[in-house]
Amino acid sequence: MPIDTHVDADPASCRTTAQWLDGVARAGATSADEVVGARNDSAGCWSGPAGDAFRDQAGRIGAAGDTTSAQARIGAQALDEFAGSVQGVLDTMSRARADAAAAGLPVTGETIGDPVAPPGPLPTPPVGQFLPPEQVAAHEQATTVATTQQAAFDRARQVTDEARTRYTEAQTDLVARMRAPTDEAVQAVKDVALVVSSVTSTLGGLHGAARTWEDVAAKAALQRQILTGLMLAPGVPLDVAARQAARSAAEEVRAGGARTANANALRTLTGGASETSIGGRILDGLTWAPGQRAETGLLAAAKPVLARLPVTSLVSSGVGFTTDVAAGRSATSAAAKQGTALAVGAGVSWAATAAGTAAVTALGVASVAALPVTLVAIAAGAGAAYLVGYHWDDIEAGVEDLVS
């Protein structure tokens, strides 16, 4: 099969663009310096709210100019180095064509043709006779030409394949360097979103746990009151009612202590804001989940799942989806990644909470143990979601292998 040595790139155009970007970088730096200079000069002659507003805006413009200048300089350097790499690949392709032509291979434009086929075996002469010497010599010459061309063709194939690989690597490096500022910005958004999500999950989890234990304590108190009343009713075994009332009282104490442990931790983390009316409403918002109060329709059908997905988690997943798409991931893959991470995180958190709560209740251990249960459940859910996101490419590839 012929060898195509064409490379779809022009080093001269790349260098021209690099020079233009370098000019943009220098102009941006000069403009930023001028804006900052004007800002500094205004401090001595322009005071008051208008002067302060001007200096704030000028500061932002100067910072934006510096950022633009830096990004243009990065692009100029990357394009200039890419042009050098492309020129090296073009030179290699040119030498490969020259070497192939010198070996007798057909070269048309930028294509190296196939070598000639080796001749077939010589015919067997009649018994007692020999083939003509010129026929034998011609066969040997044709064999030599075919062998030489085949060797030259194999060398050309190896050299051009290596050059093509270098060209691909240069393209990948160029894309990575040109995208570096964007990737850094995307990563910064992800880091901020992760911190915000962790904080809101912790606060919401503590608030939700305190409310849940408060409900458990209230139910236990009601049961204790009912059993205490039954102790006075005729015909009810006093010892049975007393034991059950005592168990309910103990459960009320444990649940109340668990509520206090989570509420105290929440109050410490929020500096007391959780005890205010505004803080309480904000915390209620952090724990609100779509479909919590739905009784009919699609939301009601999905209530067992949606009720365990706070709106803050959904917002965090939306941010993750946006940043994944901005980083180059397809919308389908990003949606699957965020949805899976959300579901796994919520499931692990729920399972850890259920298991820990059951242990605290069944074993009758100190109520303060409910606080580690809440925090461990939050950490376990967040860790599971993070692992899904971190290993998503492997997970996605594994699923594709299974269904293909």
Side-chain angles (χ1 to χ4, degrees), residues 17 25 31 49-50 84 98 115-116 148-149 165 167 174 189 201 203 229 252 255 258 277 313 331 338 345 369:
T17 305
S31 299
V116 297
T148 301
Q149 287 194 8
T165 299
Y167 177 57
L174 175 64
V189 172
S201 295
L203 297 180
E252 179 186 358
S277 58
S313 297
Q338 296 300 327

Side-chain angles (χ1 to χ4, degrees), residues 54-386:
F54 166 76
R55 281 183 286 277
D56 289 343
Q57 183 65 12
R60 286 191 288 270
I61 294 173
D66 288 337
T67 300
T68 300
S69 175
Q71 293 178 350
R73 188 173 295 108
I74 290 172
Q77 293 173 349
L79 270 175
D80 189 62
E81 293 180 12
F82 177 70
S85 299
V86 170
Q87 189 60 60
V89 171
L90 291 174
D91 293 343
T92 299
M93 295 297 192
S94 178
R95 287 194 299 271
R97 291 193 296 270
D99 293 342
L105 287 167
V107 177
T108 304
E110 296 182 311
T111 302
I112 300 174
D114 291 319
V116 297
L122 286 168
T124 303
V127 178
Q129 296 184 19
F130 298 96
L131 293 174
E134 60 275 12
Q135 183 179 4
V136 175
H139 184 274
E140 291 176 350
Q141 182 180 9
T143 301
T144 300
V145 169
T147 302
T148 301
Q149 287 194 8
Q150 184 62 54
F153 186 84
D154 292 340
R155 287 195 303 272
R157 174 73 72 186
Q158 180 179 358
V159 169
T160 55
D161 284 349
E162 291 173 353
R164 191 74 64 185
T165 299
R166 293 200 307 273
Y167 177 57
T168 301
E169 291 173 348
Q171 287 180 308
T172 302
D173 181 64
L174 175 64
V175 171
R177 294 180 63 181
M178 296 293 281
R179 289 184 60 122
T182 302
D183 292 342
E184 291 174 2
V186 168
Q187 188 58 48
V189 172
K190 286 185 176 181
D191 292 340
V192 171
L194 180 62
V195 172
V196 172
S197 176
S198 299
V199 171
T200 55
S201 295
T202 301
L203 297 180
L206 290 172
H207 181 66
R211 288 290 180 86
T212 299
W213 283 112
E214 187 175 9
D215 291 341
V216 172
K219 292 178 181 178
L222 179 61
Q223 186 176 23
R224 175 181 54 78
Q225 293 173 359
I226 294 173
L227 290 169
T228 302
L230 288 176
M231 291 171 61
L232 303 177
V236 176
L238 182 61
D239 56 339
V240 174
R243 284 196 303 270
Q244 292 178 347
R247 282 197 296 269
S248 296
E251 183 177 353
E252 179 186 358
V253 171
R254 284 196 299 271
R259 185 267 172 199
T260 301
N262 284 277
N264 287 342
L266 182 61
R267 182 170 58 252
T268 300
L269 290 176
T270 60
S274 61
E275 301 295 331
T276 66
S277 58
I278 295 177
R281 285 196 293 270
I282 293 174
L283 290 170
D284 286 340
L286 293 180
T287 57
W288 179 80
Q292 276 183 338
R293 296 178 178 83
E295 301 299 335
T296 59
L298 184 60
L299 285 180
K303 186 174 181 178
V305 176
L306 294 179
R308 304 189 185 281
L309 297 177
V311 68
T312 50
S313 297
L314 297 175
V315 171
S316 177
S317 295
V319 173
F321 171 83
T322 302
T323 53
D324 280 340
V325 172
R329 186 179 295 277
S330 70
T332 302
S333 177
K337 173 186 173 183
Q338 296 300 327
T340 303
L342 185 65
V344 170
V348 170
S349 180
W350 174 82
T353 300
T357 301
V360 170
T361 304
L363 298 177
V365 296
S367 58
V368 73
L371 176 59
V373 165
T374 304
L375 297 178
V376 166
I378 294 170
Y386 174 80

